[in-house]
Amino acid sequence: PMIRRLWPCLLLALGAACARAPRSAPLDPLRVEAWRTEIATLVMDSVYRRGTPVRVAIVAAPIDTGCVTPSAALPCPSLERRWGVEDLWFAGRDSAAARGARNDLLARAGRTRPLVIDPSDTVLLVEPVDVPPVGAPRDQWIAFRDATGGAVGALQFSPVGFDPSARHAVVIVAWSCGATCGHHLGVALNRPTAMDRWTLGEMLLMGSAQGPGARDAPGLSDVERTPR
């Protein structure tokens, strides 16, 4: 009897909670693709080129989600651990937005189309097979630079994860630039209002081919953080 009396109250409470919960509309796919291009250009120009006219190769295909371990007996870490977003280092004051961006990033992994970006005298689009693999000898990198007109390295991006408001985002960047040069970088991005363009937030250098303390991108410190 008591349960029967409480049941209508419980339904009313749940209904009120659902009515108060904000519902975000799905992001427009065309707008998402435009944002990917905007963000890739921003990261390339602000982090890797720093206003210089150096030539950079862009791998249009997203970063591969496959996992390779030194031994088949070793378990493969989760994608969120491999991409360095497990601990929400980019949360700042809004952990809910960071969690939403991370979940969207992981949901888009493996099902994102190639990046659309216009080539120019200093930006060259290449395929993943055109970039020497990790551990490739120096002569392969010399051949890469010859084939790309002197590109200093190659950038490849993960899908971009957006929070439901589309005001916070996170992307993983792979930079390849030589036999002992390269890293993975996590980049958080923000825009104060829906009318603003994306700006860089916190950045985290997650691994370098040169080991801890390496600085293989122009002006990039080991961990670079800027206020959200």
Side-chain angles (χ1 to χ4, degrees):
M2 180 62 72
I3 294 178
R4 290 181 179 177
R5 289 197 295 270
L6 291 175
W7 185 247
C9 297
L10 180 60
L11 289 178
L12 288 173
L14 289 174
C18 291
R20 290 193 301 268
R23 294 184 178 181
S24 300
L27 298 179
D28 178 8
L30 293 179
R31 181 158 294 183
V32 167
E33 292 305 310
W35 286 336
R36 287 179 64 207
T37 300
E38 178 186 341
I39 287 170
T41 303
L42 173 65
V43 171
M44 176 181 65
D45 289 342
S46 301
V47 179
Y48 293 91
R49 297 175 67 184
R50 296 286 179 115
T52 63
V54 296
R55 188 172 177 84
V56 174
I58 299 288
V59 181
I63 295 174
D64 189 8
T65 58
C67 178
V68 178
T69 59
S71 169
L74 295 176
C76 186
S78 66
L79 184 59
E80 63 180 336
R81 174 170 292 187
R82 282 181 277 137
W83 280 5
V85 293
E86 190 175 36
D87 63 356
L88 296 179
W89 51 267
F90 50 94
R93 299 188 184 93
D94 196 342
S95 59
R99 190 174 297 107
R102 178 190 63 185
N103 293 344
D104 188 54
L105 166 69
L106 297 174
R108 295 180 186 278
R111 60 182 188 89
T112 297
R113 294 187 299 179
L115 182 67
V116 177
I117 194 165
D118 292 331
S120 66
D121 291 341
T122 56
V123 178
L124 175 72
L125 292 178
V126 298
E127 297 295 328
V129 295
D130 298 328
V131 182
V134 175
R138 183 171 177 270
D139 60 340
Q140 288 192 27
W141 279 101
I142 293 174
F144 168 80
R145 291 190 172 91
D146 289 343
T148 56
V152 296
L155 282 171
Q156 189 172 17
F157 296 83
S158 73
V160 180
F162 301 94
D163 81 316
S165 72
R167 291 177 54 192
H168 306 281
V170 62
V171 66
I172 310 303
V173 183
W175 170 246
S176 303
C177 48
T180 57
C181 175
H183 60 237
H184 279 74
L185 181 74
V187 181
L189 303 109
N190 310 286
R191 55 185 194 141
T193 72
M195 302 301 294
D196 291 315
R197 296 181 68 84
W198 290 99
T199 60
L200 295 176
E202 291 190 276
M203 293 184 283
L204 178 65
L205 182 59
M206 296 180 291
S208 172
Q210 295 182 3
R215 299 191 178 188
D216 47 24
L220 183 68
S221 62
D222 303 336
V223 177
E224 182 167 327
R225 296 184 182 276
T226 55
R228 286 176 63 95

